[in-house]
Amino acid sequence: MLSKALSATVFAAAAQAISFTVSSSNGNATSPYQYGLMFEDINNSGDGGVYAELIQNRAFQGNSEFPSTIDYWNPLGGASIKLQNMSTPLSSALPTSMEVTKGNATGTMGFSNVGFWGFPVVAGTEYKGSFYVYGGLDGNVTVCLTSNDDEQYAEAEVTVKSSNAWTQYNYTLTPSQSAPNSNNTLNFTFASSDLTNSVNFDLLSLFPPTYKNRENGLRIDLMDAMAGLYPSFFRAPGGNNVEGNAAPYWWNWTNTIGPLTDRPGYPGTWGYENTDGLGLIEYLLWSQDLGMEPILAVWDGHYLDGTVLTEAELAPYIQSALDELEFLMGDASTSWGAMREAMGYGPFPINFVEVGNEDSLSAGGPTYRAYRFQAFYDAIKAVYPNMTIVASFFDVAGDAPPFGAAGDFHEYAIPVQMSSQFFYFDNYTENNPILIGEYAIIEYDAFNTTGPKWNAGAPRAFTPFWYGSVAEAIFLLGAERNSQKMIGAAYAPSFQNLNRWQWIPDLIEYDAYPGHTTLSTSWYMINLLSGTRITENLPVTFSSGDYGPAYFVAGRSDVTGAHIAKFAVYNSTGDVPFDFSFAGVGGYAQGNLTYLTAPMNASNPIGGNIVETTTKTVTATKNGTFSFTLPEYSIAVFEVAANQAGQGYGYGNPWNRQGWKGWNSWGQSWGQGQWGPPGGGWNAHGQGWPHKN
Ligand SMILES: *[C@@H]1O[C@H](CO)[C@@H](O)[C@H](O)[C@H]1NC(C)=O
Ligand SMILES: *[C@@H]1O[C@H](CO)[C@@H](O)[C@H](O)[C@H]1NC(C)=O
Ligand SMILES: *[C@@H]1O[C@H](CO)[C@@H](O)[C@H](O)[C@H]1NC(C)=O
Ligand SMILES: *[C@@H]1O[C@H](CO)[C@@H](O)[C@H](O)[C@H]1NC(C)=O
Ligand SMILES: *[C@@H]1O[C@H](CO)[C@@H](O)[C@H](O)[C@H]1NC(C)=O
Ligand SMILES: *[C@@H]1O[C@H](CO)[C@@H](O)[C@H](O)[C@H]1NC(C)=O
Ligand SMILES: *[C@@H]1O[C@H](CO)[C@@H](O)[C@H](O)[C@H]1NC(C)=O
Ligand SMILES: *[C@@H]1O[C@H](CO)[C@@H](O)[C@H](O)[C@H]1NC(C)=O
Ligand SMILES: *[C@@H]1O[C@H](CO)[C@@H](O)[C@H](O)[C@H]1NC(C)=O
Ligand SMILES: *[C@@H]1O[C@H](CO)[C@@H](O)[C@H](O)[C@H]1NC(C)=O
Ligand SMILES: *[C@@H]1O[C@H](CO)[C@@H](O)[C@H](O)[C@H]1NC(C)=O
Ligand SMILES: *[C@@H]1O[C@H](CO)[C@@H](O)[C@H](O)[C@H]1NC(C)=O
């Protein structure tokens, strides 16, 4: 009897629905950005990642932090290979090349590259390559994409002439068969009898087809993965990557533009050399190709080793930031703008500049507050009064930075903390918008032995895991709920190369083998929440229940006209029933419910997915009440169309979003901006990307 009574009580409690109504007035317009990307070259996510180059160490770049090496290259057939700084280098930016001599070779000789831990080989794909040669080789070079056990997938013959000038040769490789893994090398061989003395090679390159077919472009599957996040902004070229480890290396944009022969490379802050093939223009084209508003980070006189510049030393770096903006936006009458035009690009509108990265760390805070931020702010605002300047840190209490600027808030946490942050931004009242420039759950709760956030000494999760992704969803819905105070939120870091990484977990994992590209549980969470945008948050009134352990936001879209509610159910010990209605949506209206579930502790396996998507049609009662239950640890979006609304849709004079256009890179668009001419894109003022014909 007792146990029966008890279970009846439990059942009654569990069946108590969360009931609410959503008003049709007194809403707040949301940020046009909401969800975006943060990128920097960490975990070989640029070179060896998104940047599609397949040859590792293609131009023997180096500097005092990471001296040039011959790593990733191996001699074949007894050849001798070594680095050489010739008196006639390929270019002043690329002073080092690979000298090849006969060594012990008597027959076929040459060298091979191991790629970024292998090469992909996909049947029917055209891989385009090139290399520069100087010296005593007269004959054919065979370029061959081959497996480690000598299965030859594709071969090209390149006829090379002996010459005392650097000459570029091109080749293409089109395998007719796919390789079962990435255990492949790229071999360059020739007859030793064709070699007199020595020959030098430099800037050896191989690209698969790239996203939108851009030359020097980006890896298609990883761009598709990002497009699936429906990103609206792009914080680049990164955080720590901008800062540099130590003087004199910071992310100096002038070294990243122009022909690849003009790019010396950069000692990235994550333990390896960057080629800078992924340079400033490539970042802007990436932004354009995915329909993202750039948030351009500039260096602000703070190195990661804690060195900061004095106020007097800042001037050239402020000038460099202004030059960068002129390079991107100036017309042909400006000197930097003319250089960009000569490279064949129209202007790239910039509306957001972030000054530095995490300047409250590494003892950077006092100088940032005292003079560094203000110096950049004043100089940029003087030329671009409409520019939104983002400070590199933010405190929800509003005491830092009170710079009259947006602030970049970073949140790395454990689930127990982030799942309690739904209300985190509610009390923030400043006018300065918040950018959540980085967030992620990085450890399981069990390891938070030293505090509420995360424990630097505890084991990290290798990849995002489901209940962490649901905790992130609660935090993101908390940001959506306060969207009028926000720019938007970006998970960080975006990418993990499974063969070399410095920071886990990451949103998307991959290696050279295309079948290993993995969309994490957090990717699925963002895909759902970002893919359905609320443009006006509407007030919610409860008639029973409250927030927690189920959290939600509600509103509507002035683009699709749909009424929308988004949910995250956390630690609910069972299904959670909801009964709710939207003012203005009539009886028997039909809406769509989509929800995601997965085993609580599970992560996506390499190349796989454990997140289940369920879709249902939900029909309102005659009074317009929608009812459904959501499982524990689920994330859901419910939409009902405006034409289902009994009392029509019109609402007064909402936020003026004239000109917002194109958040969805899959061709659906919203807003009323004008598209640019063919080949152009959009900008935040709806003017379209000007483009060069
Ligand atoms: C040539 O052979 C000798 C003797 O086997 C060896 O010591 C040397 O390392 C070889 N040189 C090259 C370039 O392979
Ligand atoms: C060298 O390659 C060319 C094609 O590039 C080919 O026509 C020629 O037969 C090759 N010569 C030898 C000796 O293999
Ligand atoms: C090789 O290809 C590049 C890029 O497609 C092109 O710019 C260059 O002119 C080509 N070089 C030769 C020698 O064909
Ligand atoms: C690649 O080759 C290495 C060494 O031959 C081997 O240990 C490894 O299992 C191979 N990887 C795959 C994916 O086949
Ligand atoms: C290609 O180079 C690798 C060494 O990197 C070697 O093991 C393999 O035998 C070579 N294959 C051919 C066809 O030359
Ligand atoms: C950035 O690099 C360029 C080219 O190396 C150099 O001329 C310039 O002085 C550097 N900028 C600053 C502010 O140091
Ligand atoms: C700034 O914005 C205002 C209002 O939209 C506009 O009139 C003005 O031209 C803009 N100024 C610049 C420098 O872009
Ligand atoms: C917001 O302020 C109210 C009233 O002071 C307080 O009860 C609440 O805890 C605050 N919320 C947060 C998330 O700080
Ligand atoms: C984890 O953090 C919470 C606060 O967020 C704290 O109450 C709890 O004691 C911590 N647990 C451990 C095991 O450290
Ligand atoms: C709209 O914004 C105001 C001011 O921040 C806030 O008090 C109110 O709760 C918000 N309403 C909604 C529906 O988001
Ligand atoms: C869920 O709630 C129970 C009971 O309050 C608690 O012991 C458990 O740690 C919670 N789990 C998570 C993931 O927060
Ligand atoms: C609901 O789903 C149906 C079928 O996919 C679709 O036609 C309709 O537009 C959707 N309604 C909303 C509001 O998204």
Side-chain angles (χ1 to χ4, degrees):
M1 281 303 285
L2 186 62
S3 72
K4 198 175 175 189
L6 197 59
S7 67
T9 311
V10 168
F11 178 76
Q16 176 65 49
I18 294 172
S19 301
F20 61 92
T21 55
V22 182
S23 307
S24 60
S25 56
N26 298 319
N28 294 326
T30 61
S31 164
Y33 305 106
Q34 297 193 43
Y35 292 87
L37 284 179
M38 187 275 176
F39 181 84
E40 68 182 327
D41 201 331
I42 181 176
N43 300 328
N44 274 90
S45 55
D47 290 326
V50 159
Y51 181 53
E53 173 65 73
L54 296 175
I55 293 181
Q56 185 158 203
N57 195 20
R58 68 181 176 190
F60 317 100
Q61 287 154 292
N63 42 58
S64 61
E65 270 192 44
F66 300 128
S68 292
T69 89
I70 195 94
D71 290 354
Y72 313 107
W73 295 95
N74 292 304
L76 294 175
S80 166
I81 60 172
K82 65 177 176 42
L83 297 178
Q84 191 178 37
N85 282 10
M86 296 170 70
S87 54
T88 47
L90 174 55
S91 65
S92 58
L94 300 178
T96 306
S97 58
M98 175 171 63
E99 186 200 45
V100 183
T101 50
K102 282 188 195 175
N104 296 331
T106 52
T108 300
M109 63 179 284
F111 50 86
S112 69
N113 185 265
V114 297
F116 287 93
W117 306 280
F119 284 83
V121 178
V122 178
T125 299
E126 188 177 74
Y127 298 88
K128 289 186 184 169
S130 61
F131 54 83
Y132 285 87
V133 188
Y134 179 110
L137 179 63
D138 210 75
N140 278 6
V141 174
T142 304
V143 189
C144 182
L145 200 45
T146 173
S147 74
N148 286 359
D149 46 14
D150 287 345
E151 173 82 36
Q152 295 179 21
Y153 290 108
E155 201 176 274
E157 296 276 321
V158 185
T159 305
V160 167
K161 290 266 163 263
S162 176
S163 170
N164 283 337
W166 283 100
T167 309
Q168 189 187 32
Y169 295 93
N170 289 346
Y171 60 96
T172 59
L173 296 170
T174 310
S176 54
Q177 188 194 332
S178 296
N181 56 48
S182 59
N183 260 359
N184 310 304
T185 62
L186 187 67
N187 295 11
F188 297 78
T189 51
F190 47 87
S192 59
S193 55
D194 289 341
L195 178 61
T196 306
N197 300 321
S198 66
V199 59
N200 285 64
F201 287 82
D202 207 351
L203 193 53
L204 302 101
S205 174
L206 183 66
F207 273 81
T210 59
Y211 196 72
K212 301 215 166 170
N213 260 318
R214 290 203 184 273
E215 193 160 319
N216 194 42
L218 307 179
R219 185 170 149 172
I220 292 171
D221 64 337
L222 298 183
M223 289 295 278
D224 285 341
M226 284 183 276
L229 299 165
Y230 306 104
S232 299
F233 70 86
F234 185 45
R235 177 170 167 239
N240 294 152
N241 185 57
V242 171
E243 295 175 79
N245 281 324
Y249 297 113
W250 52 284
W251 197 82
N252 180 341
W253 65 277
T254 60
N255 295 330
T256 74
I257 57 174
L260 297 180
T261 47
D262 287 353
R263 305 188 195 185
Y266 170 66
T269 53
W270 296 98
Y272 53 90
E273 180 75 6
N274 292 183
T275 63
D276 282 341
L278 181 57
L280 181 60
I281 291 281
E282 287 76 20
Y283 285 118
L284 271 298
L285 294 174
W286 175 358
S287 228
Q288 181 177 329
D289 286 348
L290 293 186
M292 306 181 291
E293 177 75 35
I295 298 180
L296 184 71
V298 298
W299 191 68
D300 67 353
H302 173 219
Y303 295 101
L304 272 172
D305 69 358
T307 308
V308 289
L309 300 188
T310 64
E311 196 163 0
E313 290 167 334
L314 283 181
Y317 305 94
I318 293 170
Q319 188 57 48
S320 175
L322 294 173
D323 292 347
E324 184 175 8
L325 291 169
E326 182 180 293
F327 174 73
L328 292 173
M329 291 193 278
D331 63 26
S333 71
T334 65
S335 57
W336 287 108
M339 182 190 285
R340 185 207 64 243
E341 292 277 330
M343 291 175 181
Y345 302 102
F348 295 100
I350 302 294
N351 296 296
F352 294 84
V353 171
E354 179 154 349
V355 178
N357 173 65
E358 294 183 340
D359 283 275
S360 55
L361 303 179
S362 310
T367 53
Y368 196 76
R369 291 165 191 278
Y371 57 83
R372 289 191 295 118
F373 177 81
Q374 201 66 48
F376 279 83
Y377 181 95
D378 291 347
I380 295 169
K381 281 288 202 183
V383 186
Y384 306 99
N386 294 348
M387 190 71 73
T388 298
I389 311 287
V390 184
S392 70
F393 57 97
F394 171 84
D395 184 333
V396 74
D399 61 344
F403 299 117
D408 184 349
F409 177 66
H410 294 180
E411 189 70 317
Y412 292 101
I414 54 173
V416 70
Q417 183 201 4
M418 210 178 263
S419 63
S420 68
Q421 285 179 304
F422 181 70
F423 305 105
Y424 191 74
F425 300 104
D426 285 13
N427 288 351
Y428 177 69
T429 54
E430 307 278 322
N431 282 328
N432 307 321
I434 307 161
L435 171 68
I436 302 172
E438 303 180 17
Y439 71 85
I441 293 292
I442 60 172
E443 293 165 3
Y444 293 87
D445 281 333
F447 300 116
N448 74 321
T449 48
T450 58
K453 277 211 166 184
W454 54 289
N455 175 357
R460 292 287 185 85
F462 187 69
T463 57
F465 52 94
W466 183 244
Y467 84 94
S469 300
V470 179
E472 288 162 0
I474 293 169
F475 177 63
L476 291 171
L477 293 182
E480 281 208 34
R481 156 189 175 82
N482 288 284
S483 189
Q484 77 279 8
K485 307 169 190 170
M486 296 283 174
I487 296 171
Y491 186 102
S494 298
F495 291 107
Q496 178 191 9
N497 187 311
L498 291 162
N499 285 292
R500 181 165 64 196
W501 40 266
Q502 294 78 30
W503 179 284
I504 49 172
D506 304 279
L507 196 57
I508 296 164
E509 295 89 41
Y510 59 87
D511 61 21
Y513 183 61
H516 287 171
T517 298
T518 309
L519 309 174
S520 67
T521 54
S522 292
W523 184 96
Y524 282 90
M525 178 274 293
I526 298 167
N527 167 264
L528 182 67
L529 295 183
S530 176
T532 308
R533 295 290 179 95
I534 293 173
T535 61
E536 188 189 13
N537 283 331
L538 292 167
V540 165
T541 308
F542 285 94
S543 52
S544 75
D546 204 341
Y547 296 115
Y551 299 90
F552 58 91
V553 293
R556 62 186 157 200
S557 163
D558 67 4
V559 179
T560 65
H563 290 71
I564 298 164
K566 302 185 186 185
F567 303 81
V569 179
Y570 204 62
N571 193 1
S572 61
T573 59
D575 290 355
V576 176
F578 296 89
D579 288 335
F580 63 97
S581 58
F582 292 97
V585 175
Y588 308 114
Q590 283 197 332
N592 297 341
L593 175 67
T594 304
Y595 65 84
L596 308 179
T597 51
M600 179 181 170
N601 289 306
S603 289
N604 272 341
I606 299 310
N609 174 38
I610 48 89
V611 178
E612 279 187 44
T613 302
T614 306
T615 55
K616 281 183 182 168
T617 301
V618 181
T619 305
T621 63
K622 74 171 189 305
N623 297 327
T625 301
F626 296 98
S627 298
F628 52 75
T629 61
L630 291 173
E632 188 179 19
Y633 298 111
S634 63
I635 301 168
V637 167
F638 177 77
E639 282 185 278
V640 56
N643 60 13
Q644 302 269 6
Q647 296 163 31
Y649 177 55
Y651 58 97
N653 178 23
W655 190 62
N656 173 13
R657 51 177 52 254
Q658 288 281 341
W660 292 115
K661 181 92 176 169
W663 60 274
N664 177 331
S665 56
W666 287 358
Q668 300 128 11
S669 62
W670 53 264
Q672 294 147 14
Q674 300 299 310
W675 283 97
W682 62 283
N683 69 28
H685 298 314
Q687 293 145 348
W689 290 91
H691 75 110
K692 289 279 277 195
N693 44 348

